[in-house]
Amino acid sequence: MINKMIDMFRNKKIALLGFGKEGQSTYRFLRNYFPDLVLTIIDKKDIRNHEILVSDRKIEFVVGDTYLDHLEQYDLVIKSPGISLKEVDTSKIHMTSQIELLLSIAKDHVIGVTGTKGKTTTASLIYQILLANHVDTVLAGNMGIPVFSILDKINKDTMIVIEMSSHQLEYLSTSPHIGIVLNLFEDHLDHAGSVEHYHK
């Protein structure tokens, strides 16, 4: 499983868009398998002195108010959830995410849970039910467990339960084998801009 993921990054000019919890786990994964790869980290905050980056000499930074300019120059932009691109033309950006990358190689093993309310509870219940029935299962996603942090626990028989927020779903082009939508209320309008866009 990990070898398939690693192959996606070979000989690519890669940027990490956002350096929160998910961006940091992407960085750790890439550094583990590509110690000499030059990575670009893009964030509105100035994260150049972040503790896990200060000794890395193969990092380029794009920070500040213009951090979303020129995203089209990368072969792969791995976007963290929560960064709004509603003012950006994404048609020429080769954008992906941790969940998109996982789905591209393991969608038949993924149960995705989304909705405005109840995602964590439902995903956790499904995970516990599968475990109780002796199914090799991992849990990840919006509850604070980045997908890349559980990759080493996945084999060809593992079921992967992922809590998926609207931010994580926004630019997906691949669906999980089983997708559960619990409910839709009015929420996250600061990011989505409208109820219609949020629900879509």
Side-chain angles (χ1 to χ4, degrees):
M1 184 75 67
I2 282 184
N3 289 336
K4 288 182 180 178
M5 184 74 74
I6 291 168
D7 286 341
M8 294 182 184
F9 301 120
R10 293 191 193 283
N11 305 311
K12 296 274 197 318
K13 183 179 181 182
I14 298 173
L16 310 186
L17 178 54
F19 203 66
K21 194 168 199 173
E22 193 167 299
Q24 291 171 39
S25 74
T26 304
Y27 167 79
R28 288 188 180 99
F29 176 84
L30 289 172
R31 261 303 159 257
N32 189 39
Y33 292 99
F34 298 96
D36 296 320
L37 177 68
V38 176
L39 292 170
T40 301
I41 299 181
I42 303 171
D43 200 298
K44 188 170 187 178
K45 297 177 190 171
D46 189 344
I47 41 80
R48 287 175 286 193
N49 291 318
H50 193 286
E51 59 184 350
I52 69 173
L53 300 175
V54 289
S55 61
D56 192 331
R57 297 293 173 248
K58 295 188 179 293
I59 294 286
E60 297 176 350
F61 294 94
V62 178
V63 297
D65 291 338
T66 59
Y67 75 114
L68 295 177
D69 295 351
H70 311 299
L71 295 177
E72 71 285 347
Q73 68 179 292
Y74 302 97
D75 298 322
L76 208 55
V77 176
I78 306 174
K79 179 185 175 296
S80 293
I83 295 176
S84 176
L85 297 179
K86 60 187 175 187
E87 306 297 328
V88 177
D89 178 5
T90 59
S91 62
K92 295 180 180 177
I93 301 171
H94 302 285
M95 189 164 49
T96 190
S97 65
Q98 287 193 3
I99 290 178
E100 179 91 58
L101 289 164
L102 178 67
L103 288 173
S104 71
I105 61 170
K107 65 177 288 181
D108 292 343
H109 295 265
V110 174
I111 301 171
V113 181
T114 195
T116 307
K117 305 291 182 186
K119 297 184 291 298
T120 302
T121 301
T122 305
S124 299
L125 281 169
I126 293 168
Y127 170 67
Q128 292 296 336
I129 289 167
L130 290 169
L131 284 183
N133 285 276
H134 311 290
V135 177
D136 180 24
T137 310
V138 293
L139 177 66
N142 189 58
M143 77 281 294
I145 307 171
V147 166
F148 277 22
S149 70
I150 51 94
L151 284 178
D152 60 347
K153 299 175 184 175
I154 298 171
N155 60 52
K156 63 183 180 61
D157 299 314
T158 306
M159 290 302 298
I160 309 158
V161 182
I162 304 179
E163 178 191 346
M164 299 179 172
S165 71
S166 62
H167 299 85
Q168 292 169 316
L169 291 170
E170 188 171 17
Y171 296 100
L172 284 189
S173 59
T174 307
S175 299
H177 175 59
I178 298 172
I180 300 165
V181 181
L182 299 171
N183 47 56
L184 289 173
F185 298 108
E186 183 176 310
D187 205 354
H188 300 300
L189 300 191
D190 56 330
H191 178 90
S194 69
V195 175
E196 292 76 19
H197 181 71
Y198 166 62
H199 287 181
K200 184 179 178 182

